[in-house]
Amino acid sequence: MGGHNETLLKDPAIEEWIWMRNNTHRYFKINKRTTPTLIAMGIVFPGLLFWFASSTQDKLKLGPVVKKS
């Protein structure tokens, strides 16, 4: 079925990217460059999403649209 076929050519750049992607936990460090991204993605974005969801709750009609002829 889905055996490992080694006739496929491997791109070294893609293989390196895959390896780095799979091993980010070894090289990630919190510093001045990564802190704003962590704060934005961990606090600001979820907060804005929660605010938008709670402010539009029960205000939108999401039922089926039926056109009257």
Side-chain angles (χ1 to χ4, degrees):
M1 283 201 199
H4 299 285
N5 192 355
E6 294 297 327
T7 60
L8 181 65
L9 295 176
K10 294 183 179 180
D11 185 359
I14 294 176
E15 294 297 321
E16 181 181 357
W17 182 82
I18 292 171
W19 189 86
M20 289 296 287
R21 179 79 174 144
N22 289 334
N23 293 300
T24 53
H25 63 281
R26 294 182 185 176
Y27 303 105
F28 179 77
K29 295 191 178 19
I30 296 176
N31 55 26
K32 290 180 182 179
R33 183 178 176 200
T34 58
T35 302
T37 305
L38 290 174
I39 291 172
M41 294 300 183
I43 297 172
V44 175
F45 181 71
L48 289 173
L49 187 63
F50 176 76
W51 171 80
F52 177 73
S54 62
S55 67
T56 59
Q57 185 176 7
D58 298 331
K59 293 182 181 179
L60 299 174
K61 285 188 175 182
L62 298 176
V65 177
V66 179
K67 293 184 180 180
K68 294 183 181 180
S69 312

